[in-house]
């Protein structure tokens, strides 16, 4: 695991305690820093700030991972149907827009972290396969003198139909990965797809390995967001791209009010009726409100070493897509 960048951590402390409180998450000070404000030094010496949030609850940092694991272990089988019910299918549009923004080239090696049941991975494979086949058709039409056998051979090898592109789905939860693998089998996805059990905070991959790193609706659940961002930077090749689709801040007061009413009055009820798990969906809607705003998260991505960091808010800011590059 890449050691936290002292400059980034220092700039956290250097910009004062409030910066370390970003998104309501009390970031643990790992050592009393000579330059840190007095109250931060006292806190780090007397009582390490090792608390974080689990929805609106404050919990010891070491407990959050287990609680999040239980949430997704519980909802895994109903995860996909709940997404459609809660968002009336709009989450599919958000994920399609993520792929449209990605526009992967042939041969792209994608790491989809917190990939769960594979929604992003399947979209990636569909995208690269359709673009590769369209390119192949254009090339074949340009070569009038090919024999039938030569044409048939070009269409036969599925591996080739991906143009060398590959996607690795990495997730910490066995049940979510199990549902994803079942979906892949049912939909006929075989080539170019791998499933890896792993933690976003400590990825089981070498440095400089992937062209694109995506994380969709996952980073909100991670205990140490800064560590996950640093791991994303580590495993990307120079020139690689980071893309994050996550819930964000609604700025329109009316929509924000309606969204809150819908979130806290309807979604947990849907969670209980459909998934038999009111608490996990209460966690969902609370965790959304505890996540940093678009601008704050942009700064966190920059602190992790990414450049040209931008974001695009969708559906009045209910979600946002953040993008950055490892240069
Ligand atoms: C455990 O963690 C997780 C588990 C998972 O399964 C999934 C995830 C990851 C999550 C996703 C990928 C998607 C999650 C989706 C959401 C959080 C919801 C996203 C919300 C929208 C796209 C629409 C938001 C709605 C608005 C902006 C405002 C419009 C709201 C209304 C018209 C409803 C107003 C609600 C009230 C006034 C509350 C009081 C009313 C009642 C209790 C009566 C009953 C009301 C209804 C039945 C209204 C239902 C309305 C709709 C279904 C329409 C929704 C509106 C739109 C599509 C605009 C994960 O992390
Ligand atoms: C809301 S689901 C998103 C799944 C998928 N990306 C999608 O868009 O449908 C969140 C996923 O994050 C995973 N997750 C939570 N904490 C994680 C961590 N530290 N490392 C890797 N995955 C994690 C959960 O197991 C779950 O599968």
């Amino acid at each position: 695991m890449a050691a936290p960048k002292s400059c980034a951590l220092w700039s956290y402390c250097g910009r004062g305690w409030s910066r370390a409180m970003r998104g309501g998450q009390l970031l643990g000070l790992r050592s009393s820093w000579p330059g840190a404000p007095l109250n931060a030094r006292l806190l780090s010496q007397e009582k390490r700030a090792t608390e974080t949030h689990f929805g609106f609850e404050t919990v010891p940092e070491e407990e959050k991972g287990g609680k999040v694991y239980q949430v997704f272990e519980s909802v895994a089988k109903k995860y996909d149907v709940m997404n459609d019910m809660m968002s009336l299918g709009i989450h599919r549009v958000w994920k399609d827009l993520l792929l449209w923004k990605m526009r992967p080239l042939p041969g792209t090696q994608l790491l989809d972290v917190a990939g769960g049941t594979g929604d992003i991975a399947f979209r990636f494979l569909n995208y690269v396969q359709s673009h590769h086949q369209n390119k192949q058709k254009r090339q074949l039409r340009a070569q009038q003198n090919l024999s039938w056998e030569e044409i048939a051979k070009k269409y036969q090898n599925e591996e080739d139909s991906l143009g060398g592109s590959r996607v690795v789905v990495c997730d910490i939860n066995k049940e979510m990965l199990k549902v994803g693998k079942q979906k892949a089998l049912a939909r006929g996805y075989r080539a170019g797809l791998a499933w890896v059990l792993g933690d976003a905070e400590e990825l089981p991959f070498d440095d400089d390995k992937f062209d694109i790193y995506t994380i969709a609706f996952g980073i909100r659940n991670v205990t140490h967001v800064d560590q996950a961002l640093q791991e994303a930077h580590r495993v990307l090749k120079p020139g690689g791209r980071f893309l994050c689709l996550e819930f964000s801040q609604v700025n329109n007061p009316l929509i924000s009010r309606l969204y809150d009413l819908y979130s806290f009055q309807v979604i947990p009820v849907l969670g209980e009726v459909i998934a038999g798990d009111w608490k996990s969906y209460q966690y969902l809607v609370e965790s959304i409100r505890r996540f940093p705003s678009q601008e704050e998260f942009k700064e966190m991505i920059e602190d992790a070493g990414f450049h040209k960091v931008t974001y695009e808010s969708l559906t009045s800011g209910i979600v946002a897509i953040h993008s950055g590059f490892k240069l």
Side-chain angles (χ1 to χ4, degrees):
M1 174 181 66
K5 289 185 175 61
S6 56
C7 59
L9 201 56
W10 195 89
S11 69
Y12 266 48
C13 304
R15 295 181 195 169
W17 186 241
S18 56
R19 183 153 166 79
M21 286 290 289
R22 184 182 286 117
Q25 178 176 0
L26 192 59
L27 301 181
L29 279 178
R30 293 176 185 81
S31 65
S32 60
W33 216 281
L38 178 61
N39 58 340
R41 280 211 304 274
L42 286 174
L43 191 54
S44 65
Q45 286 155 6
E46 287 154 23
K47 174 184 175 298
R48 280 190 180 282
T50 58
E51 290 180 330
T52 186
H53 52 78
F54 175 72
F56 289 162
E57 264 186 84
T58 299
V59 299
E61 265 189 356
E62 58 272 16
E63 287 183 15
K64 177 161 180 174
K67 287 175 175 287
V68 168
Y69 193 95
Q70 286 172 1
V71 162
F72 289 100
E73 190 175 49
S74 166
V75 306
K77 291 186 174 64
K78 298 289 185 175
Y79 175 79
D80 292 314
V81 65
M82 274 300 292
N83 282 355
D84 282 323
M85 293 301 290
M86 291 185 289
S87 69
L88 293 181
I90 296 176
H91 76 99
R92 295 165 184 262
V93 176
W94 296 333
K95 292 170 180 174
D96 290 342
L97 287 170
L98 181 68
L99 257 293
W100 184 83
K101 205 168 180 68
M102 191 191 299
R103 290 192 296 282
L105 298 171
T108 293
Q109 307 302 304
L110 169 66
L111 174 61
D112 181 37
V113 174
T117 62
D119 275 1
I120 303 302
F122 302 147
R123 281 171 170 77
F124 171 79
L125 292 173
N126 293 342
Y127 183 100
V128 294
Q129 189 157 49
S130 65
H131 280 69
H132 183 73
Q133 285 174 345
N134 291 339
K135 184 181 159 194
Q136 214 172 25
K137 279 196 185 101
R138 286 195 300 274
Q139 286 171 343
L140 286 173
R141 286 177 190 145
Q143 295 169 325
Q144 296 300 328
N145 56 350
L146 283 178
S147 69
W148 179 85
E149 287 78 6
E150 285 168 323
I151 292 170
K153 199 178 289 182
K154 280 192 177 289
Y155 277 105
Q156 259 157 11
N157 184 340
E158 190 184 352
E159 287 287 332
D160 278 353
S161 73
L162 298 175
S165 298
R166 298 286 180 276
V167 52
V168 175
V169 178
C170 177
D171 198 291
I172 204 167
N173 193 288
K174 288 179 187 165
E175 290 309 309
M176 291 292 280
L177 288 179
K178 185 176 165 188
V179 172
K181 289 175 190 172
Q182 289 166 347
K183 271 167 72 176
L185 277 176
R187 298 179 185 188
Y189 290 105
R190 282 184 311 281
L193 173 61
W195 304 83
V196 173
L197 191 65
D199 184 348
E201 296 183 25
E202 204 165 352
L203 291 171
F205 306 107
D206 292 338
D207 298 2
D208 309 333
K209 191 169 174 62
F210 297 96
D211 301 300
I212 301 176
Y213 170 112
T214 51
I215 186 163
F217 302 113
I219 202 141
R220 173 176 38 88
N221 300 293
V222 169
T223 304
H224 304 104
V225 175
D226 57 338
Q227 282 179 345
L229 292 172
Q230 282 159 24
E231 278 292 88
H233 190 271
R234 178 182 67 79
V235 301
L236 276 170
K237 297 173 185 173
R241 187 175 192 185
F242 168 87
L243 282 166
C244 176
L245 168 62
E246 189 50 83
F247 290 104
S248 202
Q249 192 166 290
V250 176
N251 294 316
N252 176 302
L254 173 62
I255 292 190
S256 179
R257 180 73 188 120
L258 281 172
Y259 180 41
D260 284 346
L261 280 168
Y262 175 66
S263 296
F264 291 94
Q265 305 299 325
V266 178
I267 288 183
V269 173
L270 287 177
E272 181 59 30
V273 169
I274 296 168
D277 190 344
W278 182 87
K279 282 180 73 175
S280 289
Y281 288 90
Q282 186 67 25
Y283 160 74
L284 162 60
V285 297
E286 291 179 1
S287 68
I288 289 172
R289 272 81 188 165
R290 295 303 297 261
F291 193 69
S293 68
Q294 290 90 333
E295 274 301 321
E296 286 176 324
F297 188 47
K298 173 173 180 282
E299 288 179 21
M300 293 175 76
I301 297 167
E302 289 164 342
D303 282 351
F306 287 100
H307 296 273
K308 294 172 66 63
V309 179
T310 59
Y311 63 83
E312 184 181 352
S313 291
L314 307 175
T315 321
S316 302
I318 288 180
V319 299
I321 297 177
H322 282 75
S323 166
F325 293 87
K326 174 178 181 178
L327 300 184

